[in-house]
Amino acid sequence: MKQTVTLLVFLLTMLSSCCNKTSSKLTENNPLDSLVLVDTVQMKTAFLNCIHQFIKQYPKDSTFILKAGYGYEDHGVISNGVYINNDIFVIQPAYNDAFMGGEWSIEDMYPSHYFKVDNRIVFLCSRSDSFMRQEKYKKAYHQIVPDGLHERYDDYAFILIEHNDNKATLLSSDEIRKRTISPISPFRKRIKFIPPKIK
């Protein structure tokens, strides 16, 4: 009986170590395991619809980049899109040297987050990437995005989103260049301040 228990413990230990090696190999082989998966269930449906619309235009691309954008005109001032309750993002197909930090780069920090839409990967650039160690994110990005992919200069769009409501608009690069952007919610009317009379 004692030999049977010892043999059983030995076999279970061997089986356990084999399973651990197999699962660690699977993790090492999937570069997405190095990144944080963002749950799209909590994203606004209007925003996700804009992502779907954009991705449909690029059936051959499997990876995309989403980041906070610039190009919103507010009373003659170009900003990152924030006007009390609106913000703007840029989406485009991913390319190999997007995060190399050169002239044609989007950023010099590799994204640490991603989400999936229509079974395609959307890398999510964030300011938090700046305080993350970059080695594993760089390695993962270059394992996922093929070397042959280079920037296509007009293949991007903007998503204007309203913070407090489920509203979002997909804007082409032409619409941004023409400055024909208006906020989803109208600007607040300015009220002239009339000081009270002091007696």
Side-chain angles (χ1 to χ4, degrees):
M1 180 72 180
K2 190 175 182 181
Q3 288 178 336
T4 307
V5 171
T6 306
L7 181 62
L8 185 61
V9 169
F10 175 74
L11 289 174
L12 287 173
T13 305
M14 291 300 290
L15 182 63
S16 173
S17 68
C18 289
C19 289
N20 285 341
K21 285 179 183 174
T22 304
S23 67
S24 68
K25 282 182 182 176
L26 287 173
T27 301
E28 289 171 11
N29 290 336
N30 188 353
L32 284 177
D33 290 341
S34 300
L35 307 175
V36 178
L37 176 62
V38 176
D39 187 3
T40 56
V41 172
Q42 297 303 317
M43 291 183 185
K44 295 177 181 180
T45 54
F47 175 74
L48 282 174
N49 287 339
C50 290
I51 302 280
H52 283 288
Q53 285 176 37
F54 183 80
I55 284 176
K56 278 183 188 174
Q57 298 172 32
Y58 301 92
K60 294 181 181 178
D61 290 288
S62 61
T63 54
F64 297 85
I65 298 168
L66 179 72
K67 68 173 293 240
Y70 296 87
Y72 185 93
E73 188 168 353
D74 174 9
H75 296 110
V77 177
I78 309 254
S79 72
N80 70 340
V82 176
Y83 183 80
I84 301 170
N85 60 356
N86 296 318
D87 212 339
I88 199 162
F89 295 87
V90 180
I91 185 167
Q92 67 184 93
Y95 59 99
N96 185 263
D97 48 356
F99 300 98
M100 297 290 200
E103 184 179 353
W104 308 113
S105 294
I106 295 171
E107 292 279 347
D108 58 356
M109 294 289 153
Y110 287 85
S112 56
H113 292 72
Y114 77 100
F115 59 91
K116 283 194 166 186
V117 173
D118 299 334
N119 207 26
R120 295 197 261 178
I121 299 164
V122 179
F123 292 103
L124 184 58
C125 299
S126 166
R127 287 187 175 190
S128 66
D129 297 330
S130 64
F131 57 75
M132 303 298 283
R133 292 184 182 143
Q134 290 289 297
E135 295 82 16
K136 73 176 184 177
Y137 305 124
K138 179 179 180 179
K139 182 179 178 184
Y141 184 84
H142 287 290
Q143 285 178 323
I144 296 165
V145 178
D147 287 342
L149 290 181
H150 298 289
E151 183 177 14
R152 300 179 310 238
Y153 300 103
D154 288 328
D155 292 346
Y156 64 92
F158 293 81
I159 300 172
L160 181 65
I161 189 164
E162 186 168 304
H163 295 176
N164 298 324
D165 207 346
N166 187 24
K167 294 179 184 175
T169 306
L170 186 67
L171 302 167
S172 71
S173 56
D174 287 337
E175 289 171 298
I176 292 290
R177 281 192 207 103
K178 291 173 186 172
R179 302 286 187 257
T180 57
I181 310 162
S182 58
I184 298 172
S185 292
F187 291 119
R188 292 181 180 177
K189 290 182 180 177
R190 293 184 181 190
I191 299 170
K192 185 178 178 181
F193 175 71
I194 301 171
K197 293 179 182 179
I198 301 174
K199 293 179 183 179

